[in-house]
Amino acid sequence: MKLRLGLVTLLALAGVGLSVKPAAAQSASSLYTFDSGVSDWAHNFGTGTGTLGNSGGALTITETSATPGTGAAWSDGFNTIKDTGAPFTSGCCGGLDLYGLSSISLDFGHNGSAPVNVQFFAQASSGSNYVVLNPGGTDIAASAATTTYTFPLTALASPDQSAYIRTIGVTIRDHTAQGNLTFTIDNVRSNGPGAVSRVIADHDGGAADFDGVICNFDCGAIGGGNGGQNNSGMSVVGGALQWTDLGGSAGAAVTWGNGTQNGGASFSARPVDLSNYQYAIIRMSATGSDSSVFVQYYVQTGSGFNFQAVNVGNLPTDGQLHDLYVPLSALTNMSFVDSNGINLGAHAGDAVIRVDSVIYSQVPEPASLMLLGLGIVGCGAVRRGRRVSGFV
């Protein structure tokens, strides 16, 4: 990704130079409140046994081990990431996105007579790598009441891990001197200072660095492609995604799936949390015989892949990179974004399209940017379809 900005473009206007600092963070949020039920938590590993329940709006683990006090690991489901209401439901939604946040905290207690050592862990990235967040464990005080414990995310070795956490859980160590106990877990939440900006795609890793991009619909418009939902006909040239968008019919719609800059370049890393950003900044160019190409930005959000669009405007076909600032304030469910992309309008002649980067940012909105009627949210002039797929 080139950190210098191209032409700052709103409805193809140029000229205001804003800096974008590519730091990364997400919105801190409640993960599990356990208002009812066990929210898909279950036994993960270990010889200890127990039953899960809910007492007074908190998760309980009542041990039933044949050798009393034998430890075990308990965690949420591999596809459940929150219990805090729709669209986050049991069995939904792939991987928890904690990219850029600093810690996870939870309220923990037990009815024993002495402290019990507990490790907090995550299984992170699409490979479900096991990572202990508090090496050596933490001694959970003996108290029927819960105490808040906080575990830093520094043990996660890479952004790929923090962007795609398949499960979080606790490993209760052996405590045979105390026998079987009842443990209580409540108010699991992520913590951090808040978002600044995040790179979703930069295509800077060489010719194979597609950052998970595929054609979403109207794929017959991509020259040399096979018309399917894939990246055939596209290439990465000079650190930018490139394709020839054929003239004479609807332009192609391409999508970057679910934070794949840090999700292993796979469409399976869903969903991405983009809730704390004000703008999408798409750095792209067009070259062709028409004077311009119409660009629409879109997202698909929630478990129903709800299609929402913002009409950005006409991108001049001058071959120069323009930074298209897309306001996001009217879009909903941005904490649960399945895919984000651009949809091109019809154009008479062929156009070579290059996308250098897709960045989400909290850049303030200076008066000099003048939206000039941009940011129309809804069906949009060129909306024609959507990708609907199951979670992985």
Side-chain angles (χ1 to χ4, degrees):
M1 177 189 65
K2 292 69 172 174
L3 296 183
R4 66 185 189 282
L5 291 182
L7 302 178
V8 176
T9 303
L10 292 168
L11 194 56
L13 283 182
V16 180
L18 295 179
S19 62
V20 176
K21 180 181 179 181
Q26 300 310 111
S27 303
S29 66
S30 176
L31 302 179
Y32 292 98
T33 58
F34 300 110
D35 289 338
S36 63
V38 301
S39 297
D40 209 28
W41 281 59
H43 182 273
N44 191 315
F45 61 87
T47 57
T49 60
T51 59
L52 296 179
N54 189 297
S55 177
L59 178 70
T60 57
I61 304 169
T62 302
E63 295 181 320
T64 60
S65 301
T67 301
T70 301
W74 307 85
S75 64
D76 65 353
F78 271 70
N79 279 321
T80 299
I81 64 176
K82 289 189 178 184
D83 75 354
T84 51
F88 301 102
T89 57
S90 210
C92 169
C93 306
L96 173 64
D97 181 7
L98 297 180
Y99 188 67
L101 292 181
S102 60
S103 64
I104 288 179
S105 58
L106 75 164
D107 299 343
F108 211 130
H110 64 84
N111 65 348
S113 58
V116 175
N117 191 266
V118 174
Q119 286 186 331
F120 194 81
F121 69 89
Q123 289 182 253
S125 78
S126 57
S128 297
N129 303 104
Y130 183 83
V131 180
V132 176
L133 302 183
N134 59 331
T138 299
D139 289 332
I140 304 300
S143 172
T146 58
T147 300
T148 300
Y149 297 88
T150 299
F151 304 104
L153 298 176
T154 51
L156 296 170
S158 70
D160 289 358
Q161 290 187 340
S162 57
Y164 191 17
I165 295 175
R166 297 309 309 271
T167 187
I168 55 176
V170 294
T171 302
I172 299 171
R173 302 282 189 88
D174 290 348
H175 45 279
T176 54
Q178 299 187 67
N180 288 332
L181 302 176
T182 296
F183 292 82
T184 301
I185 300 174
D186 200 5
N187 297 318
V188 184
R189 51 204 174 272
S190 61
N191 309 298
V196 177
S197 67
R198 180 169 182 175
V199 177
I200 289 296
D202 61 15
H203 304 294
D204 267 5
D209 185 19
F210 286 96
D211 283 332
V213 73
I214 62 168
C215 178
N216 193 328
F217 51 90
D218 291 328
C219 301
I222 296 180
N226 61 18
Q229 288 186 320
N230 50 53
N231 59 24
S232 63
M234 304 181 197
S235 59
V236 177
V237 180
L241 179 72
Q242 179 174 305
W243 75 93
T244 297
D245 209 75
L246 301 177
S249 63
V254 301
T255 189
W256 290 265
N258 320 303
T260 47
Q261 171 71 14
N262 296 108
S266 165
F267 193 73
S268 64
R270 71 173 97 247
V272 62
D273 179 359
L274 301 175
S275 60
N276 215 24
Y277 304 106
Q278 298 175 11
Y279 292 97
I281 307 170
I282 302 167
R283 191 170 200 236
M284 63 181 297
S285 69
T287 305
S289 56
D290 298 82
S291 61
S292 62
V293 173
F294 188 83
V295 179
Q296 181 189 71
Y297 164 88
Y298 68 91
V299 291
Q300 291 180 261
T301 61
S303 56
F305 287 73
N306 180 43
F307 187 101
Q308 301 179 76
V310 177
N311 291 338
V312 182
N314 293 315
L315 174 68
T317 55
D318 57 9
Q320 298 187 66
L321 288 169
H322 294 255
D323 288 301
L324 308 182
Y325 277 69
V326 184
L328 305 176
S329 58
L331 301 178
T332 61
N333 282 342
M334 291 298 284
S335 63
F336 188 150
V337 178
D338 300 296
S339 66
N340 57 131
I342 53 172
N343 185 15
L344 302 182
H347 44 92
D350 293 353
V352 176
I353 306 298
R354 289 174 58 83
V355 180
D356 179 82
S357 58
V358 179
I359 299 172
Y360 286 79
S361 178
Q362 274 199 349
V363 172
E365 182 181 327
S368 56
L369 277 179
M370 295 184 302
L371 292 180
L372 294 181
L374 285 182
I376 303 169
V377 178
C379 292
V382 293
R383 174 183 173 183
R384 297 179 294 274
R386 63 178 183 174
R387 175 186 174 93
V388 177
S389 178
F391 298 111
V392 176

